[in-house]
Amino acid sequence: MTLIILAHPKFNNSFASKTIIEELRNSELDLEIRDIHSLYPDYKIDVKVEQEALLRHQTIVFQYPLYWLNVPAILKQYIDEVFEYQFAYGTEGDKLKGKNFMLSFTAGGAEEAYQLSGKHHLRIYEFCKSLENTAYYAQMKYIDPICLYEVSLTAGYKEADIKRDAKEHAKTLIEILTELTDQQDEKEALSLIV
């Protein structure tokens, strides 16, 4: 089963993230979607409840918009609090060991802006390095992230194009999650044989 941690402070106004989540919900995947901004609008995260959710799933996907070349504040707080000592790391902190950790996010601008020669002077996945290291530190399997570009109406992109591209992004995400689920099912079947 897959856990989607949705961290979008303005989800109701988002064409891209809303479309991605709708497509995930309409898929045949066995999912739990936790909209942490709706669950914790006061940023008072229930650490134990969130840890229990993480423990129920083999694959954890963080779905969020890139905010100022980073994750939204609530996602940073979520990781700071939920991935705590002796849960995600420490001498007894192996509770997430072997679980899949994946990022699926959106960026307002064009892909060209996220190049060494572009506006932001780094490739998009370099903005994910701290989260990649979080996954490794928690002994999780880091799955290559996927990004959907050109989702900002302010930057001049059109709603219809954003929704179309978001459906394609969701399709790719569903394919990856299906493959991860199939791999886990095969692993579990083999463990029953042995």
Side-chain angles (χ1 to χ4, degrees):
M1 201 153 93
T2 300
L3 175 63
I4 308 292
I5 300 296
L6 172 61
H8 198 306
K10 298 180 181 177
F11 180 70
N12 290 330
N13 298 328
S14 168
F15 296 120
S17 291
K18 277 175 70 174
T19 301
I20 292 166
I21 293 299
E22 286 170 9
E23 293 294 309
L24 287 169
R25 281 192 174 118
N26 291 331
S27 75
E28 295 181 9
L29 292 171
D30 190 5
L31 299 170
E32 178 180 353
I33 300 171
R34 297 187 64 77
D35 180 351
I36 59 174
H37 204 275
S38 289
L39 289 169
Y40 309 111
D42 57 1
Y43 283 61
K44 293 179 181 171
I45 295 170
D46 188 329
V47 171
K48 296 302 174 204
V49 166
E50 294 308 315
Q51 288 175 344
E52 289 169 7
L54 290 169
L55 293 173
R56 285 193 297 270
H57 304 278
Q58 177 59 32
T59 300
I60 295 93
V61 176
F62 297 91
Q63 177 68 50
Y64 62 94
L66 198 63
Y67 262 40
W68 282 99
L69 309 175
N70 210 325
V71 298
I74 195 159
L75 182 52
K76 174 68 169 102
Q77 184 169 341
Y78 175 96
I79 291 170
D80 287 348
E81 294 181 9
V82 177
F83 281 54
E84 69 183 345
Y85 180 67
Q86 301 300 38
F87 177 77
Y89 70 99
T91 55
E92 298 174 25
D94 63 352
K95 309 305 184 283
L96 302 176
K97 183 178 182 177
K99 292 182 181 287
N100 300 316
F101 181 111
M102 185 177 178
L103 307 174
S104 168
F105 60 101
T106 60
E111 187 172 1
E112 296 78 40
Y114 300 94
Q115 304 294 328
L116 292 177
S117 60
K119 179 179 178 180
H120 302 299
H121 307 290
L122 291 171
R123 288 179 289 277
I124 192 75
Y125 299 115
E126 292 178 72
F127 295 104
C128 302
K129 282 296 181 188
S130 63
L131 292 172
E132 180 178 359
N133 285 320
T134 296
Y136 293 139
Y137 200 62
Q139 304 176 67
M140 299 174 79
K141 181 180 176 188
Y142 185 73
I143 307 300
D144 288 335
I146 58 173
C147 178
L148 173 60
Y149 299 94
E150 301 180 0
V151 301
S152 172
L153 293 175
T154 307
Y157 301 108
K158 305 291 183 215
E159 178 183 340
D161 295 335
I162 294 168
K163 287 181 176 180
R164 179 200 64 224
D165 294 345
K167 285 182 180 185
E168 283 303 309
H169 178 94
K171 181 180 174 186
T172 301
L173 181 56
I174 290 165
E175 289 170 1
I176 293 167
L177 295 176
T178 300
E179 184 177 324
L180 289 170
T181 300
D182 291 347
Q183 289 172 2
Q184 184 62 30
D185 290 347
E186 287 174 22
K187 185 178 176 182
E188 289 173 7
L190 286 173
S191 71
L192 294 174
I193 294 171
V194 176

